[in-house]
Amino acid sequence: MVRHIMFVLFFPLFLWAAQANQSENIWVKVGQIYGIEPRLLYSIAKVESDLDRYVVAFSASKMTPKQAQELQAFLKQKGIESKQYSQVIAIKSKNKYEASHVVHFLYTRNYPRFDMGIMQINSIHKPLLDKANISLYDLFDPKINIQVGAYILATCFERHKNTKDAINAYNGKIDDNPYSAKVFKEFKKLYSSYQSGKTQLYYRNPS
């Protein structure tokens, strides 16, 4: 099953992104490809980035004092806004050009692992992206970012048959993680007709 998902990601990603009709619903299309309820993908994106395609975020506590100082100077020079939420710093670029500069700055200077774009894809996945000919900068294209996020979520479902654990795994921590509760809260808020147990969130049959 995982090999099938890998094939979907590694071959038709850019081809589909280039040919997709502009009126096509990206969430539905990607959900069909990976066997994931489209509204779940949307809810995760809402929790992760509030649907901000250019945001870059990481743990501020993992920076060295020198890195914190250099980042502040860089953002001030470029006129790029940032906000800190608890221990997470979110850098909010206005466009792909700015966001790409932020990623280049963080990656080439060995900053802590960071999340990018609408589904907040973590830089830990760079080896996977390299195999698919996807650059970190490509993740600021929502079509690409959402499909990569769906692939990662699908692999989480393959490894963790429990829905809660799979969704928490997408966030990087399974136990004692309130992340899945936030996602379900968003899901229910956006789609009031949802009733637990009646909507299948992952509908591929593991082989």
Side-chain angles (χ1 to χ4, degrees):
M1 183 62 209
V2 173
R3 277 194 292 177
H4 172 73
I5 297 172
M6 292 282 282
F7 176 78
V8 171
L9 175 65
F10 282 17
F11 179 67
L13 177 57
F14 283 110
L15 181 63
W16 174 74
Q19 294 180 346
N21 189 308
Q22 291 299 313
S23 64
E24 201 164 28
N25 187 307
I26 180 72
W27 308 102
V28 172
K29 181 65 177 180
V30 173
Q32 289 172 343
I33 291 172
Y34 290 98
I36 298 173
E37 163 60 49
R39 293 171 294 184
L40 175 61
L41 293 174
Y42 185 91
S43 297
I44 288 176
K46 184 71 175 172
V47 170
E48 287 285 346
S49 69
D50 199 23
L51 307 180
D52 185 342
R53 67 180 67 185
Y54 301 125
V55 67
V56 177
F58 64 95
S59 174
S61 64
K62 294 182 179 179
M63 283 191 296
T64 66
K66 182 180 178 182
Q67 285 179 323
Q69 186 178 24
E70 290 179 346
L71 178 62
Q72 185 178 17
F74 167 79
L75 296 176
K76 183 177 180 181
Q77 179 190 16
K78 297 293 185 181
I80 300 174
E81 293 183 5
S82 67
K83 292 184 179 180
Q84 189 159 338
Y85 306 90
S86 184
Q87 293 299 312
V88 175
I89 183 168
I91 302 171
K92 296 179 173 290
S93 299
K94 295 184 288 292
N95 50 53
K96 182 178 178 179
Y97 178 80
E98 282 190 357
S100 297
H101 269 74
V102 169
V103 165
H104 180 77
F105 179 88
L106 297 177
Y107 185 74
T108 58
R109 289 166 175 78
N110 297 315
Y111 275 73
R113 294 182 310 196
F114 48 89
D115 301 317
M116 295 160 281
I118 195 167
M119 296 286 286
Q120 288 290 273
I121 309 301
N122 193 277
S123 56
I124 196 174
H125 297 295
K126 189 176 186 303
L128 170 71
L129 298 171
D130 288 343
K131 290 179 182 178
N133 269 338
I134 301 172
S135 74
L136 296 180
Y137 314 118
D138 291 327
L139 294 175
F140 297 114
D141 179 335
K143 287 188 175 73
I144 295 173
N145 192 291
I146 293 167
Q147 189 164 355
V148 172
Y151 164 74
I152 294 169
L153 181 60
T155 61
C156 291
F157 272 110
E158 289 292 329
R159 294 190 186 105
H160 308 281
K161 306 311 176 187
N162 179 285
T163 298
K164 176 183 174 182
D165 288 350
I167 293 172
N168 279 338
Y170 183 87
N171 185 244
K173 178 185 176 185
I174 297 175
D175 297 328
D176 299 319
N177 189 353
Y179 179 77
S180 59
K182 293 178 182 177
V183 171
F184 283 124
K185 181 179 179 181
E186 191 64 38
F187 193 104
K188 293 175 183 178
K189 181 173 68 174
L190 294 174
Y191 308 101
S192 58
S193 62
Y194 170 76
Q195 291 183 331
S196 181
K198 294 187 178 181
T199 299
Q200 196 171 2
L201 301 182
Y202 182 69
Y203 46 85
R204 287 196 188 277
N205 293 320
S207 59

